[in-house]
Amino acid sequence: MSGALMLPAASSAAGRFDLLLLALLVLCGLMALALLVLVFSIRYRAGSPADRSGANRQHRALEYTWTLVPLALFMCIYAWAAYDYAQLFRVAPEAMPVFVVAKQWMWKLEHQNGRREIAQLHVPLGKPVRLVMTSQDVIHSFFVPAFRIKQDVLPGRYTMLSFTPTQAGRFHLFCAEYCGTEHSLMRGEIIVLPPAQFAEWLAQGAATPGIAARGFELYRRYGCSGCHEPGSSVHAPDLHGLLGRTVHLQDGRTLIADENYVRDSILLPDKDIVAGFKPIMPSFAGQISEEDIMAIIAYLREQQP
Ligand code: CUA
């Protein structure tokens, strides 16, 4: 249906969502017709001379049927949609991370090797990509119609979005959350390149130091290494191989360490105290920029075993 009628379907999610939308349209259309809503609303409209005598006032079987059959059908649609939605969060471990910082009114993106982009995102064809996004000011929303994906980008936390492009080319990127005067100008494009061409493009703009190396520098400059290195005199959790690890907290909760956990630990260190440690870490709120936190996370990710 897509292509002829509307946008290209250029990601692995697009075909699934198009099919779901088509199914919903067909089902709703059939419901309208099967229940004769259109026919009856014309035939028995107010003032029509249609014969209303001898109307059957009670027909239990009929009532059960027209209640339960649509209910079952729409529950199937619900299960199907929930399954598709869950697929969006099943991220391949080898997915290429890209950091996204939204601000009034632009998209700033940074690749793992430090190559930065503004309002453009280059990605390799057929390879999974995982965006880690945050906002410097208000709520924005990362929307790529051709990929059929949209995710709000919030200040104060990370949201994730992953996709696999299935078509080379250029696709619109929009901000889909009203974010101020120039909201409508907060546009960009996703440029999908064949993998070899992408690798070439990526290598051209490699920043020195790369994002992880910059993260390591910050890790030392902000004094993280003073407490978190295994040999340090202060007793603080070891951060090597942290991402993806299960963390047991003082209050009995457990969580899987992800980007949000690292971010919260830097800005709100009293929120999740690791079991066996004292809450002595100072907060870095107001002292460290979003980009610097992302660089430190990139450094930690590189320390994964
Ligand atoms: Cu950013 Cu609308």
Side-chain angles (χ1 to χ4, degrees), residues 30-40 66 70:
L30 285 178
M31 286 295 157
L33 295 178
L35 296 176
L36 299 173
V37 172
L38 284 177
V39 178
F40 286 172
W66 78 40

Side-chain angles (χ1 to χ4, degrees), residues 247-255 261 271-275:
V247 180
H248 299 274
L249 302 180
Q250 199 81 290
D251 55 14
R253 286 179 296 140
T254 53
L255 50 76
Y261 169 70
K271 188 178 155 221
D272 302 311
I273 307 289
V274 180

Side-chain angles (χ1 to χ4, degrees), residues 103 105 107 138-141 175-180 183-184 186:
K103 57 177 276 192
W105 288 276
W107 298 102
V138 299
I139 301 178
H140 303 270
S141 186
C175 175
E177 184 76 49
Y178 181 67
C179 55
H183 156 73
S184 62
M186 194 170 160

Side-chain angles (χ1 to χ4, degrees), residues 287-301:
Q287 302 171 42
I288 185 168
S289 69
E290 291 295 350
E291 270 120 332
D292 283 358
I293 298 177
M294 285 181 166
I296 289 175
I297 291 173
Y299 163 67
L300 293 180
R301 188 183 287 128

